[in-house]
Amino acid sequence: MKHNFIDEMDRYMDYSPWVTMPDTDWSTVIKNLQPKLFRKNSIIYHQKDKPDYVYLVKKGRVRLDIYSFNGEKISLFIADQGTFFGELSPIDSMANMCSATAAIDSLLYSIPVSTFMAEINQNHEFACNILKMMAKKIRLISVQVRQLSFNDSNYRVCSALSNLVHQYGKPEADGSYQLSIKFTHQEMADLTGLSRVTVSNILSALTAEGILGKQDGFLIIKNLNAVHQYLMETY
């Protein structure tokens, strides 16, 4: 399968856990609404809640997490600009499977469930866009299951770094990429199903090898080819 690696990686970029849909027109459902500011680490809703609203990210990032009975956590995805979250509950009339937390200060539209469902029933284009977004989430979760089942910890971290460059990397004259967002080792751990210590050790090793660097708190991928080479060799 290695000869198909580039094509596969291109497809996986579309299934990044940092979900963004900034070019999708959601104006029909938010035209009379004002976004509300949720400060970093604010809980928007809890796992097993059945909220009265569906949320759309205008600006910022919201983390969707699943918790175990003993409090362990894994992140499903991070909703970025133009992405709905909490849409499953009104569709299947069940409680939400995960909690939603503002990863950074975020501006969110709170759309009443009745408005959201009416728009799905009456607006074909809106319904199709919701289906496309949900399909994107299902595919990225499928990729996560594949990685958790078949790929080692180094692969998972390198894959996450590749996704970050694809979405948030700014190319520099020397061929490196500086990320435009900050993230903690714990956030990376939650997204990759690893411990914070494991993620820290992997990032430290990549830094020692000259593959990664940091400037003003922003990660720099100095050698993206080395990251892709590792992914290709272990795919």
Side-chain angles (χ1 to χ4, degrees), residues 134-229:
M134 294 175 69
K136 189 173 187 177
K137 292 178 183 178
I138 291 169
R139 289 184 181 274
L140 79 86
I141 291 172
S142 299
V143 169
Q144 289 175 334
V145 170
R146 183 190 68 80
Q147 290 190 0
L148 288 169
S149 301
F150 304 120
N151 298 121
D152 64 17
S153 54
N154 289 284
Y155 186 100
R156 293 184 228 167
V157 171
C158 286
S159 178
L161 290 172
S162 183
N163 281 322
L164 282 166
V165 170
H166 179 73
Q167 290 182 245
Y168 304 107
K170 176 186 176 184
E172 304 292 344
D174 61 359
S176 65
Y177 292 82
Q178 179 169 319
L179 300 184
S180 61
I181 67 170
K182 296 180 180 180
F183 62 90
T184 67
H185 290 187
Q186 186 61 58
E187 287 174 321
M188 176 71 80
D190 293 338
L191 282 168
T192 54
L194 301 168
S195 70
R196 183 190 60 78
V197 173
T198 298
V199 168
S200 296
N201 289 340
I202 292 171
L203 294 179
S204 294
L206 292 173
T207 300
E209 294 173 23
I211 295 173
L212 300 182
K214 196 170 256 190
Q215 182 175 330
D216 300 326
F218 292 93
L219 195 68
I220 298 173
I221 291 80
K222 296 181 177 181
N223 189 345
L224 184 60
N225 287 336
V227 174
H228 285 167
Q229 182 66 26

Side-chain angles (χ1 to χ4, degrees), residues 18 37-38 50 59-61 63 71 76 82 94 109 112 128 146 170 176 178 187 226:
W18 289 270
L37 176 64
F38 288 80
K50 196 173 179 182
K59 184 179 181 181
R61 297 192 301 277
R63 193 177 65 249
L76 294 179
M94 297 177 68
Y109 289 104
C128 285
R146 183 190 68 80
K170 176 186 176 184
S176 65
Q178 179 169 319
E187 287 174 321

Side-chain angles (χ1 to χ4, degrees), residues 117-132:
M117 292 306 298
E119 198 68 23
I120 284 181
N121 290 323
Q122 300 169 11
N123 187 331
H124 178 265
E125 182 178 1
F126 179 84
C128 285
N129 284 333
I130 291 293
L131 286 173
K132 289 177 183 176

Side-chain angles (χ1 to χ4, degrees), residues 33-98:
L33 301 177
Q34 292 296 321
K36 177 183 176 181
L37 176 64
F38 288 80
R39 293 293 184 184
K40 181 179 179 180
N41 295 326
S42 297
I43 304 296
I44 298 152
Y45 57 73
H46 291 90
Q47 185 171 311
K48 296 187 178 180
D49 280 352
K50 196 173 179 182
D52 296 322
Y53 298 94
V54 175
Y55 298 89
L56 175 65
V57 181
K58 175 179 174 61
K59 184 179 181 181
R61 297 192 301 277
V62 175
R63 193 177 65 249
L64 282 297
D65 304 314
I66 287 183
Y67 288 86
S68 68
F69 288 112
N70 60 6
E72 292 179 322
K73 177 181 71 174
I74 187 168
S75 297
L76 294 179
F77 64 91
I78 294 177
D80 207 324
Q81 182 183 0
T83 303
F84 275 93
F85 61 94
E87 74 278 7
L88 288 183
S89 185
I91 290 175
D92 63 12
S93 300
M94 297 177 68
N96 281 313
M97 291 291 293
C98 54

